[in-house]
């Protein structure tokens, strides 16, 4: 099996297990067993469980996705749709996926930093692509918009961490509405 195909198979199986059992309850041993490989091979390909989590969320490359968006679509809407497109944790129920996502972030501090690092690494590419697509918006305004969106997610994350009964997707939507009004 080619290395890239093996990686994709492992990611798919890991996401299935994360969806079935939750991230915290899924072990690397289970992922290796279901993938038909040894633990040693799994750890050679993915040294940490959160690597599987982070890589698994990027279902569509950001450049491909941005290029597919209509040019007349509002920038904030493009970014909001990008969040939804990534559909945290797989599956079809977006609200449940976001809830599971936020729960995972609350129990796995290493995952928080890994996800934040990945987002920060992708921001310059997103700004570059969006600057080409939206030539009427300055690069600085795009940076501010993306930064605001990341802030919205972090603010929702903090609120959900504090109030376990709140809905993270609703928090994100409320925060985005406040930004859109201003």
């Amino acid at each position: 099996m080619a290395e890239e195909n093996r990686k994709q198979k492992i990611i798919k199986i890991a996401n299935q297990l994360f969806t079935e059992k939750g991230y915290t309850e899924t072990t690397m041993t289970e992922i290796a067993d279901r993938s038909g490989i040894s633990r040693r091979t799994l750890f050679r390909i993915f040294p940490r469980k959160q690597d599987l989590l982070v890589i698994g969320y990027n279902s569509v490359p950001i450049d491909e996705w941005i290029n597919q968006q209509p040019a007349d679509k509002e920038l904030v809407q493009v970014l909001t749709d990008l969040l939804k497109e990534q559909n945290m944790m797989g599956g079809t129920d977006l609200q449940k996926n976001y809830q599971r996502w936020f729960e995972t972030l609350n129990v796995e501090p290493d995952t928080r930093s890994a996800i934040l690092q990945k987002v920060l690494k992708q921001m310059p590419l997103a700004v570059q692509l969006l600057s080409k697509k939206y030539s009427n918006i300055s690069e600085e305004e795009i940076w501010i918009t993306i930064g605001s969106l990341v802030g919205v997610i972090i603010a929702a994350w903090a609120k959900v961490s504090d109030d376990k009964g709140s809905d993270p997707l609703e928090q994100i939507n409320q925060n985005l509405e406040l930004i859109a009004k201003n």
Side-chain angles (χ1 to χ4, degrees), residues 60-102:
V60 176
I62 194 169
D63 55 340
E64 204 177 290
W65 192 88
I66 287 173
N67 289 332
Q68 292 172 358
Q69 299 308 299
D72 61 343
K73 197 175 196 181
E74 291 290 324
L75 177 61
V76 172
Q77 189 60 52
V78 167
L79 294 171
T80 304
D81 289 349
L82 179 60
L83 258 183
K84 291 176 181 174
E85 175 67 27
Q86 293 302 314
N87 197 2
M88 311 294 190
M89 295 301 276
T92 56
D93 189 332
L94 190 62
Q95 191 166 351
K96 283 182 185 173
N97 292 338
Y98 272 90
Q99 188 68 43
R100 190 177 303 119
W101 167 248
F102 275 79

Side-chain angles (χ1 to χ4, degrees), residues 9 23 71 83 86 89-90 150 160 168 173 177:
K9 178 183 176 186
Y23 175 78
L83 258 183
Q86 293 302 314
M89 295 301 276
V150 171
V160 170
N173 287 332
E177 285 174 17

Side-chain angles (χ1 to χ4, degrees), residues 6 10 26 34-35 41 57 59 62 81 87 102 111 113 126 132 138 144 149 167:
R6 179 186 290 180
I10 294 167
T26 301
R34 265 214 207 165
S35 299
T41 300
Y57 284 138
S59 57
I62 194 169
D81 289 349
N87 197 2
F102 275 79
T111 303
S113 58
K132 287 179 186 171
S138 74
I144 290 168
L149 183 64
D167 175 359

